Amino acid sequence: MKERLHELEREALAKIDQAGDLKALNEVRVAYLGKKGPITEVLRGMGALPPEERPKLGALANEVREAIQQALEAKQTKLEEEEIERKLAAEAIDVTLPGRPVRLGNAHPLTRVIEEIEDLFIGMGYTIAEGPEVETDYYNFEALNLPKGHPARDMQDSFYITEEILLRTHTSPMQARTMEKHRGRGPVKIICPGKVYRRDTDDATHSHQFTQIEGLVVDRHIRMSDLKGTLREFARKLFGEGRDIRFRPSFFPFTEPSVEVDVSCFRCEGHGCSVCKGTGWIEILGAGMVHPNVLEMAGFDSKTYTGFAFGMGPERIAMLKYGIDDIRHFYQNDLRFLRQFLRV
Amino acid sequence: MLVSYRWLSEYVDLTGITAKELAERITKSGIEVERVEALDRGMKGIVIGHVLECEPHPNADKLRKCLVDFGEGEPVQIICGAPNVAKGQNVAVAKVGAVLPGHFKIKRAKLRGEESNGMICSLQELGIETKVVPKAYADGIFVFPSDAPVGADALEWLGLHDEVLELSLTPNRADCLSMIGVAYEVAAILGRAVKLPEAVVKENDEMIRDYISVRVEAPEDNPLYAGRIVKNVRIGPSPLWMQARLMAAGIRPHNNVVDITNYILLEYGQPLHAFDYDRLGSKEIVVRRANEGETIVTLDDVERKLTDNHLVITNGREPVALAGVMGGANSEVRDDTKTVFIEAAYFASPVIRQAVKDHGLRSEASTRFEKGIDPARTKEALERAAALMAEYAGGEVVGGIVEASTWKEEPVVVTVTLERINGVLGTAMSKEEVAAILANLQFPFTEDNGTFTVHVPSRRRDIAIEEDIIEEVARLYGYDHLPATLPVAEAKPGGLTPYQAKRRRVRRYLEGAGLFQAITYSLTSPDKAARFALETAEPIRLALPMSEERSVLRQSLIPHLLEAVSYNRARQVENVALYEIGSVYLSRGENVQPAENERLAGVITGLWHAHLWQGEKKAADFYVTKGVLDGLFDLLGLSDRISYRPAKRADLHPGRTAEIALDGTVIGFVGQLHPAVQKEYDLKETYVFELALSELLNAESEAIRYELIPRFPSVVRDIALVVDDNIEAGALKQAIEEAGKPLLKDVALFDVYQGDRLPAGKKSLAFSLRYYDPERTLTDEEVTTVHERVLAAVEEQFGAVLRG
């Protein structure tokens, strides 16, 4: 009987090993460990044994049962794991197929540039002033020291609606409007972005509608060196640390002294390239100290207050920054153009 | 202004500074030098040759066979095609081995079987622009005066070993529209002296008053009028050096008298006019405004109609010149002119500008009057012209000057302190540094304890106030020496206004939702101006539009957005979603600024979503568009105050358009384009919206306040209601929400059915209702009570019955 038990154990373990799936394994379990299984059968025949043999045989039978049980469990775990793996293998997908697209639009490149510049000046304590695009002759010209008949009015051919009303030719009217609101008391520290209009035929470098950003600071003791420091800070933040700026004398009726401001070329680091036309410098804005007539007309005492103003063209800056070749792109709204400005 | 380097060096010593260096210094100090051009353009080996013989080419009608002497070596044979070549001329010859502009090398050649050892040159071939070449030589070779030495460097005689600086002048620097003005500027930059030209007039013993008198009837337009008579002139070419200088400055030489007036214009910036005295037709000059309807034939042979806005020079009866702009044909200097009346006048800018504008005539003279000349130099220029005419036109200057003047030189004195200069600039200049700059500018000044009193010369009409002096000092001090500082002031934080901040959020939302920002033109055509407009007004039209397409201000953003869609579709971009934020302009009456209302508009067409390999595809439709707006209203915290109402609007689909109201006031619309409009713009199904953005952003929204996160379970009941198919889902939903208060928290529509399984004219709307009490768990009975109330309400109001 002892042999029989050992034989049964060998047999069962072999069948467990052979069982290919859970069903087969269960059949082995039922066959060997069931109530009518061969081990129970052997135990039932124990009555024929001498009493002192019985416990030994009982113990052996339990050992065998235990061994089979363990083998069953081990096999079951293994089969279950295999089952899961098979299932997962069957569920495998091609991860290189495209994902469900998230639809994204983006801001216009001009807005991108304008907001960047706004934020940069907000960081230096400026607020944003906005004003009408359809202006009076007074704010567009006269309050800016450009009386009727002034030769500099030729510099900007304007879209008049009536003799007194026109589309603003620059954002500078906001200088006078803002200063008037301050009723002769500083400080004034503003940035004015907006659309402006001039009688130009649209081509690669001209647009009858374009944008400008004006800056104005008026306070006691504002110096021209403050203008230089402010614009250098601006140029470095917009075009990268290490940029330098230079002033070239110029003329605007509403500033005195007036300068044009160049930034050292960000493409070639000032060595000369196609972007800076070999000069190492790129003209980016016009600026100057606010003309005393402008201060006085807007109600500021030009003996106690001084100020600086500057103006720049977001189109030009965007064209430089992104290498855009034609100003008309900004107003055609070709999606193949617009969607190039998605990235942060 | 074109400035010859060599000519300039007659007034200022330019030793040790090249034209290029000079250009850089001038640019850095305030006047932009656009370019520096070497007139010789790389030419070499051009000499003056003498045509010994000239006969027809045996094999070609249009060619001549010439024998040319260079003064040394054997004369050579040159074939020449110019019609005006002739025996005995001195001409410019490019010898074999010479180089012409564009690296054009002259080689020995055979032309129609005849040997040619060089080329006889026209001025154009020597790099001179046709428009300044004297008319006599415009179609052929240039002929030198007979005294030009044979064998000499032709370029030298033509003044081409020179460089020209092109100055780009701002309107305030009209003083540099003259060589003398530029000389002062350069002298100030270099710290060198100015040598002025001298004019010694030798008069005969006649008196000018026997020849002519002058009367000015419009002294405001013409504060100063002076003239001289030069008799017995012999009209002929002016000296070659003068012609060369005129050509270098962009002026075509004519004859000695006219050239001298132009030469003085360039030298002094004072326009002059030479009349043929004998053809003036009277012994008096009367300057007056033209009579209405009067005419004059100007030098360019155009008859011009005059008005009271124009100033004319008359002989007492009829105009002989359009003052300051152009002379009359009737008194023009001709080859047979014997006596010349030279006019040197100061005409005021406005009257000249008007004439230039009305007649489309801009001349070297009018430009200078428009920008303002220096009347203190007018008579000096006249003297110099008379002296030159005596010298180069063989004339005799009649004694005295005829003059009518109301002009008085008003001294301009400006005071400025050193403290103010340094205060405005942020510099630490010394008294001595400032004084040196003023001295270099040749501004007479006195200095007392840091206060400078500056006597501004009349040539610098742009300088009148303290700041002008500060600018002069700054630019000559050099902006590179300006320190870079930041304003010292109380630190106030910057920032966006709430409106600006919200507008940025709106942009980011729309972009995140898949729309691209467009920027379109504000000017449009009259037929588009008010189309789609939320609100219309009288169109605002430009006084002088450049085209009908851009002649009035827009009242809606949609027409140009549709153009953008068309533009994209024409380039195979079919799926377009754009938004624009911009102003529309609504008239408030003539001569007042219009209302500028900020609008948000959008257009969506084509596929809204496509993920094809997984079978997803969604075309843009009304609800896609509306969904974008719903999200926007959520973002602005206005959803509860917004309502949509079916609406009929021009150009929109009558069954697929809704007006959008905020607190009951219409602030926008959303809808499909009318199929007719889609066709007009060549579009497929397209949806548009426009909202009064300012109304939305100015609407106060409630501040965020935390609400307890639900702690108790909520109860959800779904119902399907059958109603007549004309019942609006929105109204039904609102009724449910009303009736279910306060326990009913959410109502969501999840199905709309219409079809076979319902009676005709009926539809089923299925809603999911969520009941919740923040204080406790609701019992089934409590929910049922409210739910029954909801059902009763919709039955009563809409005849809605539960779908079985």
Side-chain angles (χ1 to χ4, degrees):
Chain A
M1 290 175 91
K2 225 168 135 186
E3 277 69 53
R4 176 68 182 144
L5 280 174
H6 284 301
E7 192 186 273
L8 280 172
E9 183 181 0
R10 275 195 306 277
E11 229 179 82
L13 291 180
K15 282 192 178 163
I16 288 169
D17 195 41
Q18 280 160 24
D21 55 27
L22 290 169
K23 199 179 156 226
L25 191 67
N26 204 41
E27 278 163 12
V28 177
R29 180 198 318 276
V30 174
Y32 289 88
L33 299 181
K35 289 217 169 86
K36 290 169 186 167
I39 297 175
T40 318
E41 194 112 325
V42 172
L43 287 176
R44 248 185 235 136
M46 240 176 7
L49 286 180
E52 69 276 14
E53 291 285 313
R54 282 178 206 165
K56 280 190 196 162
L57 193 71
L60 178 66
N62 280 337
E63 269 171 41
V64 169
R65 214 189 267 273
E66 191 64 25
I68 294 171
Q69 186 69 38
Q70 270 182 21
L72 276 170
E73 273 168 26
K75 181 73 177 188
Q76 170 133 9
T77 309
K78 189 170 168 247
L79 284 175
E80 274 171 4
E81 276 170 6
E82 280 171 9
E83 179 79 20
I84 290 170
E85 265 163 41
R86 251 198 316 281
K87 212 174 153 200
L88 291 180
E91 282 172 6
I93 57 167
D94 179 353
V95 297
T96 65
L97 280 169
R100 189 178 190 276
V102 170
R103 206 191 150 89
L104 274 182
N106 57 255
H108 191 283
L110 289 176
T111 301
R112 204 181 152 105
V113 166
I114 290 169
E115 288 185 357
E116 186 179 352
I117 293 170
E118 282 177 355
D119 290 344
L120 217 144
F121 281 101
I122 285 172
M124 293 195 261
Y126 290 66
T127 54
I128 314 292
E130 292 171 286
E133 293 167 27
V134 184
E135 257 301 356
T136 59
D137 185 89
Y138 176 78
Y139 284 111
N140 196 75
F141 290 125
E142 283 177 52
L144 294 166
N145 201 29
L146 275 148
K148 290 212 161 83
H150 191 286
R153 282 198 181 199
D154 284 355
M155 284 162 81
Q156 24 188 320
D157 238 350
S158 328
F159 283 123
Y160 274 92
I161 292 163
T162 65
E163 274 195 17
E164 292 304 322
I165 308 282
L166 74 162
L167 303 190
R168 66 176 174 193
T169 57
H170 44 197
T171 43
S172 311
M174 282 310 291
Q175 286 190 23
R177 286 185 175 274
T178 309
M179 278 192 274
E180 279 182 7
K181 273 196 199 143
H182 277 74
R183 297 176 171 277
R185 306 253 316 257
V188 178
K189 216 171 169 189
I190 52 157
I191 289 288
C192 326
K195 290 176 184 149
V196 301
Y197 305 84
R198 288 188 198 170
R199 281 182 62 92
D200 272 326
T201 304
D202 297 342
D203 62 25
T205 52
H206 297 85
S207 181
H208 74 277
Q209 173 180 327
F210 56 103
T211 57
Q212 267 194 351
I213 299 181
E214 188 89 2
L216 174 72
V217 174
V218 176
D219 204 349
R220 292 163 202 268
H221 315 304
I222 294 292
R223 303 156 297 178
M224 199 166 183
S225 57
D226 297 333
L227 172 66
K228 196 173 181 184
T230 299
L231 293 179
R232 193 172 69 181
E233 192 74 11
F234 159 75
R236 289 182 176 173
K237 289 208 170 112
L238 194 69
F239 294 109
E241 290 301 324
R243 293 281 78 76
D244 207 354
I245 59 160
R246 72 170 182 190
F247 281 4
R248 277 181 296 113
S250 188
F251 169 75
F252 306 109
F254 31 95
T255 50
E256 173 116 46
S258 301
V259 288
E260 300 209 58
V261 184
D262 300 336
V263 61
S264 58
C265 183
F266 47 84
R267 186 66 49 85
C268 65
E269 304 279 331
H271 299 299
C273 68
S274 64
V275 173
C276 58
K277 299 194 182 80
T279 63
W281 295 92
I282 303 171
E283 184 184 327
I284 51 158
L285 46 78
M289 299 301 287
V290 182
H291 196 288
N293 292 357
V294 175
L295 287 170
E296 295 285 344
M297 271 188 279
F300 275 79
D301 177 3
S302 67
K303 292 280 165 263
T304 25
Y305 281 99
T306 50
F308 63 71
F310 53 86
M312 63 188 112
E315 276 86 349
R316 175 161 173 77
I317 290 172
M319 288 170 95
L320 287 169
K321 235 181 127 118
Y322 305 121
I324 297 166
D325 58 342
D326 191 322
I327 197 169
R328 286 169 294 198
H329 287 312
F330 293 114
Y331 297 97
Q332 273 158 346
N333 300 300
D334 188 326
L335 273 169
R336 296 167 304 174
F337 172 76
L338 292 178
R339 63 164 75 108
Q340 293 181 34
F341 303 93
L342 177 74
R343 286 204 306 262
V344 289
Chain B
M1 175 82 185
L2 297 169
V3 176
S4 149
Y5 175 84
R6 278 175 65 178
W7 187 2
L8 182 66
S9 69
E10 286 189 3
Y11 311 109
V12 198
D13 179 8
L14 297 178
T15 313
I17 179 158
T18 66
K20 235 185 142 185
E21 287 162 1
L22 181 63
E24 271 167 32
R25 299 281 300 269
I26 294 175
T27 296
K28 276 215 143 182
S29 312
I31 294 171
E32 190 187 348
V33 179
E34 286 200 345
R35 61 197 174 104
V36 179
E37 196 173 7
L39 295 183
D40 62 15
R41 295 166 202 270
M43 288 186 282
K44 268 193 301 223
I46 325 286
V47 298
I48 297 176
H50 183 71
V51 182
L52 294 171
E53 279 167 39
C54 178
E55 52 194 52
H57 189 291
N59 308 318
D61 290 349
K62 292 195 172 160
L63 298 180
R64 309 286 181 86
K65 194 168 84 175
C66 306
L67 191 63
V68 181
D69 174 30
F70 298 135
E72 52 171 30
E74 285 295 301
V76 298
Q77 175 171 305
I78 295 176
I79 305 300
C80 179
N84 64 334
V85 65
K87 182 176 171 176
Q89 287 172 337
N90 284 351
V91 293
V93 183
K95 294 203 285 189
V96 170
V99 181
L100 289 178
H103 308 294
F104 175 46
K105 243 185 156 170
I106 300 298
K107 292 178 196 142
R108 185 164 288 121
K110 260 198 175 170
L111 292 172
R112 295 273 180 119
E114 289 287 336
E115 193 168 287
S116 185
N117 298 294
M119 178 173 150
I120 303 177
C121 300
S122 68
L123 290 180
Q124 289 94 324
E125 281 157 345
L126 299 177
I128 295 174
E129 277 187 274
T130 305
K131 65 172 192 195
V132 301
V133 169
K135 275 200 175 129
Y137 307 119
D139 300 319
I141 53 163
F142 178 74
V143 182
F144 284 84
S146 52
D147 60 351
V150 173
D153 179 354
L155 301 185
E156 176 61 32
W157 278 74
L158 289 168
L160 296 179
H161 289 308
D162 193 3
E163 283 167 273
V164 167
L165 284 68
E166 185 173 351
L167 308 192
S168 168
L169 295 174
T170 49
N172 59 324
R173 292 307 303 273
D175 61 298
C176 284
L177 281 169
S178 68
M179 292 303 290
I180 292 175
V182 174
Y184 273 107
E185 175 71 12
V186 168
I189 294 167
L190 302 179
R192 294 181 185 177
V194 174
K195 285 174 288 190
L196 292 177
E198 279 171 30
V200 185
V201 179
K202 224 180 105 211
E203 300 177 333
N204 70 10
D205 27 350
E206 291 177 283
M207 289 310 290
I208 194 165
R209 63 170 176 264
D210 298 329
Y211 281 77
I212 199 144
S213 67
V214 170
R215 193 168 82 243
V216 175
E217 291 181 355
E220 277 200 12
D221 298 331
N222 180 16
L224 171 62
Y225 192 103
R228 265 202 181 270
I229 297 277
V230 184
K231 59 186 280 192
N232 297 332
V233 296
R234 283 183 303 278
I235 302 297
S238 60
L240 196 49
W241 61 263
M242 186 181 283
Q243 294 188 45
R245 286 180 177 182
L246 290 177
M247 288 191 286
I251 293 179
R252 182 202 291 261
H254 289 275
N255 59 46
N256 45 10
V257 167
V258 172
D259 288 359
I260 287 166
T261 62
N262 282 330
Y263 186 79
I264 299 302
L265 170 134
L266 290 173
E267 190 172 46
Y268 284 82
Q270 169 66 53
L272 301 175
H273 185 65
F275 294 94
D276 183 330
Y277 172 76
D278 298 318
R279 295 170 59 222
L280 270 178
S282 82
K283 284 191 160 195
E284 64 168 349
I285 289 285
V286 177
V287 185
R288 59 165 167 84
R289 287 288 183 116
N291 299 322
E292 209 69 40
E294 212 167 5
T295 59
I296 182 173
V297 177
T298 40
L299 284 175
D300 52 3
D301 286 327
V302 177
E303 177 168 306
R304 298 181 186 274
K305 271 215 169 98
L306 305 173
T307 72
D308 182 31
N309 289 327
H310 309 132
L311 188 69
V312 286
I313 313 300
T314 72
N315 59 9
R317 297 186 306 273
E318 51 174 10
V320 292
L322 182 54
V325 181
M326 200 180 259
N330 50 9
S331 56
E332 183 184 2
V333 170
R334 295 186 187 166
D335 289 348
D336 60 356
T337 297
K338 291 275 173 291
T339 304
V340 170
F341 172 63
I342 316 170
E343 164 198 288
Y346 165 39
F347 299 117
S349 160
V351 73
I352 302 300
R353 178 167 315 157
Q354 190 65 43
V356 166
K357 203 177 139 199
D358 293 349
H359 297 290
L361 259 183
R362 178 159 275 139
S363 61
E364 293 278 350
S366 68
T367 301
R368 284 169 176 79
F369 284 126
E370 277 184 80
K371 299 197 165 157
I373 62 160
D374 176 8
R377 228 150 48 187
T378 301
K379 281 202 273 181
E380 215 179 300
L382 176 63
E383 293 301 76
R384 171 100 164 129
L388 289 178
M389 281 189 203
E391 190 172 353
Y392 296 108
E396 261 176 67
V397 182
V398 170
I401 290 178
V402 70
E403 183 181 349
S405 173
T406 50
W407 179 73
K408 262 205 248 43
E409 182 163 2
E410 300 203 355
V412 177
V413 179
V414 181
T415 58
V416 60
T417 63
L418 180 69
E419 189 193 349
R420 177 77 175 169
I421 293 172
N422 283 324
V424 168
L425 298 176
T427 47
M429 268 182 260
S430 67
K431 267 195 312 208
E432 290 70 26
E433 282 175 294
V434 173
I437 290 169
L438 292 174
N440 285 344
L441 282 164
Q442 306 194 33
F443 288 180
F445 69 94
T446 56
E447 187 268 323
D448 179 26
N449 207 8
T451 298
F452 292 88
T453 304
V454 184
H455 298 264
V456 182
S458 62
R459 65 189 154 83
R460 290 299 303 274
R461 294 162 57 100
D462 57 314
I463 290 176
I465 56 171
E466 189 180 68
E467 281 70 15
D468 296 324
I469 298 289
I470 295 175
E471 177 167 53
E472 290 300 298
V473 170
R475 71 185 182 89
L476 291 167
Y477 176 69
Y479 286 113
D480 290 349
H481 299 124
L482 202 66
T485 56
L486 287 174
V488 183
E490 50 175 321
K492 270 195 177 175
L496 298 171
T497 62
Y499 185 97
Q500 292 163 345
K502 277 200 227 175
R503 188 174 50 198
R504 280 204 190 179
R505 290 291 304 276
V506 167
R507 290 188 191 288
R508 295 301 93 81
Y509 162 76
L510 291 166
E511 290 150 14
L515 278 69
F516 289 85
Q517 186 201 354
I519 300 179
T520 65
Y521 293 133
S522 308
L523 286 168
T524 189
S525 60
D527 59 310
K528 290 194 199 103
R531 222 169 165 185
F532 298 100
L534 204 48
E535 197 183 336
T536 59
E538 271 299 297
I540 301 169
R541 194 179 164 82
L542 298 180
L544 277 172
M546 294 176 76
S547 71
E548 220 29 39
E549 270 301 284
R550 308 270 171 255
S551 59
V552 292
L553 284 165
R554 66 181 178 191
Q555 296 177 29
S556 164
L557 312 186
I558 291 178
H560 285 168
L561 285 176
L562 294 180
E563 278 180 10
V565 179
S566 297
Y567 184 93
N568 277 288
R569 260 180 61 78
R571 285 153 187 81
Q572 296 168 301
V573 183
E574 303 277 347
N575 307 324
V576 181
L578 296 170
Y579 82 88
E580 178 169 15
I581 289 177
S583 289
V584 299
Y585 313 84
L586 300 170
S587 174
R588 289 190 282 212
E590 204 171 321
N591 260 325
V592 281
Q593 286 171 275
E596 291 182 31
N597 296 343
E598 198 156 47
R599 293 282 150 87
L600 162 64
V603 56
I604 301 177
T605 185
L607 281 181
W608 174 251
H609 172 71
H611 183 47
L612 298 178
W613 74 267
Q614 285 191 306
E616 291 175 41
K617 191 168 162 180
K618 172 73 188 156
D621 65 13
F622 181 87
Y623 299 104
V624 160
T625 315
K626 186 182 177 190
V628 170
L629 300 184
D630 287 339
L632 174 69
F633 301 137
D634 279 344
L635 179 81
L636 296 173
L638 299 173
S639 297
D640 295 343
R641 294 155 61 186
I642 289 284
S643 56
Y644 292 83
R645 293 194 294 249
K648 301 215 186 312
R649 297 186 67 94
D651 295 326
L652 295 178
H653 191 304
R656 295 184 178 179
T657 298
E659 275 177 352
I660 302 167
L662 173 69
D663 298 330
T665 307
V666 174
I667 50 104
F669 59 86
V670 53
Q672 186 188 335
L673 277 192
H674 196 286
V677 181
Q678 283 171 184
K679 207 168 152 194
E680 178 193 332
Y681 279 91
D682 190 24
L683 302 177
K684 292 195 172 154
E685 202 171 300
T686 300
Y687 294 85
V688 295
F689 63 86
E690 181 155 311
L691 301 169
L693 185 66
S694 44
E695 306 288 327
L696 288 171
L697 300 187
N698 286 324
E700 295 274 330
S701 62
E702 272 180 52
I704 293 177
R705 239 192 109 68
Y706 161 75
E707 274 175 34
L708 277 180
I709 292 165
R711 284 187 295 165
F712 304 99
S714 55
V715 178
V716 176
R717 300 248 170 124
D718 291 351
I719 52 170
L721 297 172
V722 176
V723 290
D724 291 347
D725 64 5
N726 62 353
I727 299 293
E728 288 168 14
L732 196 57
K733 180 173 178 241
Q734 208 183 345
I736 294 170
E737 283 165 346
E738 272 308 309
K741 274 180 184 170
L743 292 184
L744 180 56
K745 293 295 186 237
D746 282 318
V747 181
L749 178 109
F750 66 89
D751 188 43
V752 180
Y753 176 78
Q754 207 164 3
D756 296 346
R757 285 176 282 151
L758 284 179
K762 294 282 182 188
K763 67 180 172 188
S764 155
L765 298 170
F767 294 92
S768 185
L769 285 64
R770 194 172 63 81
Y771 295 95
Y772 174 70
D773 187 326
E775 306 294 328
R776 64 208 165 85
T777 304
L778 287 171
T779 65
D780 208 39
E781 293 74 48
E782 283 170 318
V783 172
T784 302
T785 313
V786 185
H787 198 64
E788 296 287 331
R789 202 163 73 214
V790 168
L791 294 176
V794 293
E795 184 174 6
E796 189 194 322
Q797 292 174 44
F798 299 98
V801 290
L802 269 179
R803 193 172 165 196

